[in-house]
Amino acid sequence: MSNAFYKVPPAKNEPVKSYAPGTPEREELKKTLKEFMKAHKDIPMHIGGKEVRTGKTVSISPPHDHKHVVGQYHKGDKSHVKKAIEAAMKAKEDWSNMPWEQRAAIFLRAADLMAGPYRAAMNAATMIGQSKNAYQAEIDAVCELVDFFRFNVQFMTEIYHQQPESPALTWNRTEHRPLEGFVFALTPFNFTSIAGNLPSAPALMGNTVVWKPSNTQIYGANMIMEIFEKAGLPPGVINLIYVSGPEAGDVIFSHKDFAGIHFTGSTEVFNGIWKTVASNMDTYKSYPRLVGETGGKDFVVAHASADPKVVAVALARGAFEYQGQKCSAASRAYVPASIWKDVKKHLCDDLASFKMGDVEDFSNFINAVIDEKSFDKISNYIANAKKDKDATIIAGGKCDKSKGYFIQPTVIQTTNPYYTTMCEEIFGPVLTVYVYDDKKFEATLDIVDKTSGYALTGAILANDRDAIVLATRKLTHAAGNFYINDKPTGAVVGQQPFGGARKSGTNDKAGSMINLLRWVSPRSIKENFVPPNDYRYPFLQEEKKGK
């Protein structure tokens, strides 16, 4: 039995390996990539600790080589959603009653497995399934997810340590109960770390989970589930299913035990979920927790005092790492006329040096976008920009899906600050630049603030401190993660808690204690050591009459 206050190992950010030529990690990763590309994985669902195969299989191909099949997953239906809920509810009592340090140990072990023996496999699965280069896979699939596991354990202990004051003769305490019911985790394709954190954060706090990943991330999701089970996660705590969104939603959002959703995806889908949950409120035992990180139309504002080369690098990295398929990717930029010529030259020079192609060639900075639907959407924006009078493509613009879904990093210069690609989320390697009059810096900040309904990330690049102060103040609500003299991507767990407001989500800050608080329901307990034995309060006593 637990009879001590346990101190967990201090959380530290997992070091990022370089994968430079001659390093052992590079050699191991290249070997694992070749093995995975040759193999044909048969990927089941995981319900109640059992592998579930339906025989209705869907092929998995790398986005950069869509004719090559690396595996297949077994597609489920509504019956599997129901079974997953049943398994989650069956596991709930034992899991919620498990001592917190035992739950912590499972995820700490998962972190060490991921950072150690599974490191190459995690990276290879993400590189193949989601077309990420080695560095993007490393910072995502290993380092960030390991950080989530370790820091969430630390945040959990901090939550449990927060206790109320107790006056004489009483003991006040707060317990943080798991939610009453099950949690639904709906995860995106673009970050393996998000796919792993969305089900594990509620589970760590004692909840049981039904997890539906994006179909284009199943290859990596299966690897995460394998690590969970290897780490000793009990059956039914996290149940991994591969079903369509509507099928999952029909069952889950009409279930009396639905307690909350942990979501990352499009604003449109999250809005639909919110409406559905609202219309079904009479069904649920309690008000479900709706936690969502949605879209972004992230900005970079350069001031005339900024270094043009610094601006160019922030745009090149911020807009085009992982093909711009980050919720935080820079997709609109505002550059003053006085430095635009130099910024443009540096940026175009950088883009000209980008190599694009297969993930197995480590010299490729750019790989493929996730699928044909995404390719068609992005290429359509580029095609329209080539025809529109207020837009000029100054770099890139070529698209080819003959072998993989490759879109050349593209920079559009516009004369209209409200041009389509300045306003709409594209989610691809397209950056639009508006060049403004140096004298209109403050007015441009107003444009930045009202151009988009999103408010996820943004950056100000300047050497003038007054300009930084002004931008920070005027753009207070324009970004949940705001960067000064840096690109608007690359939030680190425990350093920059991530999330945005407005149409970018509920801003519950993954990578912080704030997020974990959403997965518990506190109970205040007061114990009276010397209870009263008379209902009368002192004020009721009669005053003594004078002699």
Side-chain angles (χ1 to χ4, degrees):
M1 62 183 292
S2 296
N3 60 1
F5 293 103
Y6 298 103
K7 184 177 181 181
V8 300
K12 296 180 181 178
N13 293 111
E14 177 65 20
V16 179
K17 294 184 181 292
S18 72
Y19 296 88
T23 58
E25 66 265 19
R26 183 185 180 100
E27 182 180 345
E28 184 183 9
L29 180 54
K30 286 210 164 198
K31 179 183 176 183
T32 306
L33 279 168
K34 288 180 180 178
E35 291 173 355
F36 281 17
M37 286 295 287
K38 289 179 181 178
H40 188 95
K41 291 191 176 184
D42 185 60
I43 300 176
M45 293 182 283
H46 295 257
I47 301 174
K50 297 179 180 179
E51 294 184 352
V52 177
R53 290 175 170 84
T54 63
K56 299 177 182 177
T57 58
V58 179
S59 295
I60 299 174
S61 297
H64 46 271
D65 189 0
H66 53 63
K67 294 179 182 178
H68 180 79
V69 177
V70 294
Q72 62 182 17
Y73 68 87
H74 289 259
K75 187 176 181 180
D77 54 34
K78 287 185 179 181
S79 69
H80 299 101
V81 182
K82 293 175 183 177
K83 289 178 182 177
I85 294 172
E86 290 170 1
M89 294 306 296
K90 182 180 179 181
K92 183 170 182 60
E93 183 175 357
D94 286 347
W95 179 246
S96 62
N97 288 328
M98 180 179 284
W100 69 264
E101 74 275 7
Q102 303 300 329
R103 297 198 308 267
I106 291 170
F107 290 102
L108 290 175
R109 185 182 181 193
D112 283 354
L113 288 169
M114 200 167 284
Y118 279 85
R119 195 181 200 110
M122 281 294 295
N123 280 332
T126 298
M127 292 171 73
I128 292 171
Q130 292 141 263
S131 200
K132 288 197 174 190
N133 62 39
Y135 178 73
Q136 291 298 312
E138 169 77 1
I139 62 176
D140 164 29
V142 173
C143 295
E144 184 169 0
L145 187 46
V146 166
D147 286 350
F148 274 129
F149 292 161
R150 291 173 177 162
F151 276 90
N152 280 349
V153 166
Q154 180 171 297
F155 297 145
M156 176 178 67
T157 65
E158 292 172 4
I159 291 171
Y160 289 166
H161 273 98
Q162 292 181 0
Q163 293 295 316
E165 295 295 322
S166 297
L169 308 183
T170 63
W171 183 13
N172 294 321
R173 50 196 187 266
T174 298
E175 65 176 16
H176 296 275
R177 305 166 297 177
L179 304 182
E180 190 176 12
F182 69 92
V183 173
F184 180 36
L186 188 54
T187 65
F189 79 84
N190 58 333
F191 278 93
T192 299
S193 54
I194 297 175
N197 181 56
L198 266 55
S200 64
L204 177 66
M205 303 308 291
N207 297 282
T208 52
V209 182
V210 175
W211 172 21
K212 181 194 133 37
S214 166
N215 290 343
T216 45
Q217 199 271 326
I218 288 175
Y219 197 74
N222 175 69
M223 185 65 64
I224 297 171
M225 196 68 201
E226 182 179 328
I227 294 171
F228 283 158
E229 292 178 347
K230 183 74 172 179
L233 189 71
V237 173
I238 295 177
N239 302 276
L240 179 60
I241 57 173
Y242 314 135
V243 299
S244 72
E247 284 184 312
D250 285 348
V251 177
I252 287 171
F253 300 131
S254 60
H255 199 287
K256 63 182 178 63
D257 291 313
F258 171 63
I261 180 170
H262 207 186
F263 173 90
T264 294
S266 75
T267 301
E268 291 73 21
V269 170
F270 195 53
N271 286 350
I273 290 171
W274 202 286
K275 291 176 183 177
T276 300
V277 170
S279 66
N280 291 338
M281 279 310 306
D282 290 341
T283 303
Y284 311 130
K285 290 180 178 178
S286 56
Y287 290 98
R289 303 291 173 86
L290 307 181
V291 178
E293 192 259 291
T294 56
K297 191 63 185 174
D298 310 299
F299 60 83
V300 172
V301 180
H303 182 258
S305 65
D307 182 330
K309 182 61 175 173
V310 169
V311 175
V313 171
L315 294 177
R317 285 186 169 183
F320 301 118
E321 287 184 327
Y322 189 44
Q323 298 77 261
Q325 297 174 126
K326 299 182 180 185
C327 305
S328 56
S331 58
R332 53 186 173 120
Y334 304 80
V335 182
S338 62
I339 65 171
W340 170 237
K341 182 179 178 180
D342 289 337
V343 171
K344 178 180 177 180
K345 181 183 183 305
H346 292 311
L347 180 59
C348 290
D349 286 348
D350 282 344
L351 266 62
S353 71
F354 286 179
K355 286 186 64 180
M356 180 169 66
D358 194 299
V359 299
E360 291 183 85
D361 181 349
F362 281 26
S363 67
N364 289 327
F365 186 70
I366 303 296
N367 309 113
V369 297
I370 192 64
D371 58 18
E372 187 170 24
K373 181 181 178 181
S374 180
F375 177 93
D376 291 344
K377 174 187 174 182
I378 298 164
S379 59
N380 188 57
Y381 277 105
I382 294 172
N384 289 336
K386 291 177 179 178
K387 298 181 294 184
D388 293 342
K389 63 181 181 179
D390 48 0
T392 304
I393 293 179
I394 62 173
K398 294 181 181 179
C399 310
D400 184 355
K401 62 178 178 180
S402 57
K403 181 182 180 183
Y405 304 113
F406 292 104
I407 296 179
Q408 200 174 30
T410 301
V411 180
I412 300 170
Q413 183 178 346
T414 183
T415 55
N416 176 9
Y418 300 106
Y419 179 63
T420 303
T421 58
M422 292 290 284
C423 301
E424 296 180 8
E425 184 182 37
I426 302 173
F427 220 69
V430 179
L431 171 69
T432 307
V433 180
Y434 173 69
V435 181
Y436 69 90
D437 185 331
D438 289 42
K439 297 178 182 178
K440 297 182 178 179
F441 175 66
E442 185 168 358
T444 300
L445 294 177
D446 290 330
I447 292 173
V448 173
D449 187 49
K450 66 183 180 182
T451 294
S452 169
Y454 297 111
L456 190 52
T457 74
I460 174 67
L461 302 174
N463 287 322
D464 184 324
R465 181 50 61 172
D466 286 336
I468 292 171
V469 171
L470 181 63
T472 303
R473 176 174 59 82
K474 291 188 75 69
L475 299 175
T476 294
H477 295 289
N481 283 59
F482 189 69
Y483 295 79
I484 299 171
N485 288 322
D486 200 359
K487 60 183 174 63
T489 64
V492 178
V493 176
Q495 296 185 33
Q496 299 97 28
F498 190 78
R502 293 180 178 169
K503 290 184 179 178
S504 288
T506 56
N507 203 15
D508 288 295
K509 294 299 185 193
S512 76
M513 190 197 308
I514 299 168
N515 183 273
L516 295 189
L517 283 168
R518 298 288 279 150
W519 307 117
V520 292
S521 179
R523 179 167 72 155
S524 296
I525 299 172
K526 176 189 176 182
E527 182 171 356
N528 197 338
F529 291 138
V530 185
N533 55 20
D534 189 339
Y535 84 88
R536 299 172 182 82
Y537 292 98
F539 80 91
L540 293 172
Q541 295 179 12
E542 295 286 343
E543 292 184 12
K544 293 182 179 180
K545 296 181 180 180
K547 292 182 180 179

